[in-house]
Amino acid sequence: MLKKQSKIDGRFLVVAAVLGYFGLLYLANFFVPYHRFWWRLGVPAAENPFIDLAAVLGAFDCDRLTGEVSLTNNSCFTQISYPSSWSSLTWLGLEQRNTIFLGVLFALIFYVITLIIIGRLNYQEAVVYALILCSPPVMLLVERGNVDIVIYSWLGVGLIIIKNSRALIFRLCAYLLIFFWGVIKLFPIFGLAVILKEKRNLFLFLAAIFTTAFITYFLASIGEIKTISSIHDGRIWYSFGYKVLFSAVKYILLKLTSGETDIKNTIIYMMYIIMILFTMSILTRVLLSKFKIFKEWLSSDFVSTDSDKSLDKSRYIDYFRLAAAIHLGNFLVIGMLYDYKLTFLIFALPQILDWIKQENQLSLPSSMALVAMVATFYASPFLYPWLVDEMINWLLAANLLYMAILSMPEWLKSLVHKKLSGKFSV
């Protein structure tokens, strides 16, 4: 069905779905405060709109009033758990009184960039994007006006430049844009995986430059970064990352060993433990099966002899690499993040849908990833046993890693093949 073309661009249906969603919120506001109705839709909305954006703009006001000149331990920005490098943005002149205007503007830009990125859709693809864009994590990002919505938009601009520019100078500007946001809020630095599109020597050169520069910045700010990372409240609900599951297990074990739980809760906690073990067994089995296939490819067609059929030449490979790298970096390195950061997975959707339609070696993994993405976008707020959501997230992360390995550039595949094929000969 995904291959069928539609007479009308499916993006009109996506826009209609989003407008219908906000229209429903507007109508509901006549009967109940909109933020309470939004909770029923799975979005933990605050009473005041765009509270994350308001906090950042308030920090800018604070910085101007105090005249703080230090870029380290700036008290105005430690209050919002952001690096002090944010004080360098104070010159933009943004104030807290601009919160509503900027919140609406950033949301509009977010949707416009997304519509440009996803391109023309058929009706089936439109349903997928409508489900994602109207999902609780995406709507939470919009409702809070979190700065990630700005980062998403700028990364989208960078991807458009990278995909459509033949001139290296423009791509370098896009890479610098990604690096800039990596310095400003750390996690976007994983998105520099897009430089894999460059030829081997240029990739190695750029990777060395960006890695050295980022490590230098990271070491210079490590004290502040540790403080910021420790502020996360550790809640399990509405979060993702490898630490979430471990925190859940720790919480359950503490409850079971404390002797304070009744029989009913003890049974529930035991069921959770069984669910975790069952999920880990499924994940292990999936990984072993993927590893077996990987070994077979290492000894045969892991490296493509036909450059035209190489997965590295896929139409939206840059989008996928940035999205997969950011998600895996968040999941495996940072380890505990609010679900609105799942929004960056939208960048991976064009390539995932394209691989499904091509019916190649990544069609099945792409189908699994698509189902897992839609599921996890709705599981966290609606399925109280958050373990279900974490099961999905672990399987999704493993699948994205597998897909990223199989879609590496051929020169990198050749290097991997040379290093590992002898060790994993079938």
Side-chain angles (χ1 to χ4, degrees), residues 150-319:
V150 178
I151 296 174
Y152 174 99
S153 299
W154 277 113
L155 294 185
V157 171
L159 284 174
I160 293 170
I161 294 172
I162 292 168
K163 183 177 183 295
N164 298 293
S165 296
R166 294 185 178 180
L168 176 60
I169 184 65
F170 293 114
R171 296 199 301 276
L172 288 176
C173 290
Y175 300 150
L176 286 171
L177 179 63
I178 297 172
F179 180 80
F180 167 78
W181 285 110
V183 169
I184 290 296
K185 212 180 176 194
L186 302 183
F187 78 88
I189 200 68
F190 299 117
L192 279 176
V194 292
I195 63 175
L196 279 168
K197 83 176 278 108
E198 305 298 341
K199 293 181 179 179
R200 178 178 179 175
N201 290 340
L202 181 56
F203 164 79
L204 294 174
F205 175 76
L206 292 176
I209 294 294
F210 285 127
T211 300
T212 301
F214 184 76
I215 289 177
T216 301
Y217 165 76
F218 185 86
L219 292 176
S221 310
I222 193 165
E224 188 176 46
I225 292 171
K226 285 183 177 179
T227 302
I228 293 171
S229 62
S230 65
I231 294 176
H232 195 291
D233 59 14
R235 71 177 183 179
I236 299 168
W237 181 70
Y238 229 106
S239 299
F240 74 98
Y242 81 90
K243 291 181 181 179
V244 177
L245 186 60
F246 296 144
S247 296
V249 173
K250 182 179 179 181
Y251 171 81
I252 291 172
L253 292 177
L254 285 174
K255 286 293 184 180
L256 288 173
T257 57
S258 65
E260 300 175 357
T261 57
D262 55 25
I263 296 177
K264 180 182 177 180
N265 286 329
T266 299
I267 294 174
I268 292 174
Y269 291 140
M270 290 300 295
M271 289 178 63
Y272 283 168
I273 292 293
I274 293 172
M275 289 169 64
I276 293 173
L277 295 175
F278 180 69
T279 302
M280 290 297 100
S281 66
I282 292 177
L283 180 62
T284 302
R285 183 166 183 173
V286 170
L287 291 176
L288 288 175
S289 66
K290 298 297 185 185
F291 183 66
K292 182 179 179 181
I293 297 172
F294 182 61
K295 288 196 299 180
E296 293 174 353
W297 272 322
L298 278 177
S299 61
S300 56
D301 61 349
F302 178 64
V303 180
S304 176
T305 56
D306 187 346
S307 60
D308 293 332
K309 295 182 180 180
S310 172
L311 294 171
D312 180 41
K313 304 298 182 183
S314 299
R315 187 178 179 186
Y316 301 104
I317 190 63
D318 301 321
Y319 297 0

Side-chain angles (χ1 to χ4, degrees), residues 21-72:
Y21 186 102
F22 285 108
L24 180 63
L25 283 177
Y26 177 76
L27 292 175
N29 196 49
F30 289 104
F31 307 97
V32 63
Y34 84 95
H35 66 278
R36 293 184 182 177
F37 183 76
W38 223 342
W39 271 85
R40 297 179 183 178
L41 296 179
V43 181
E47 185 172 354
N48 297 320
F50 309 122
I51 59 171
D52 287 2
L53 176 60
V56 174
L57 297 178
F60 289 151
D61 288 340
C62 168
D63 190 58
R64 280 187 288 267
L65 288 173
T66 59
E68 180 69 63
V69 295
S70 173
L71 291 181
T72 58

Side-chain angles (χ1 to χ4, degrees), residues 12 45 59 112 243 292 313 315 344 382 384:
F12 287 109
V112 169
K243 291 181 181 179
K292 182 179 179 181
K313 304 298 182 183
R315 187 178 179 186
F344 290 90
F382 292 121
Y384 175 72

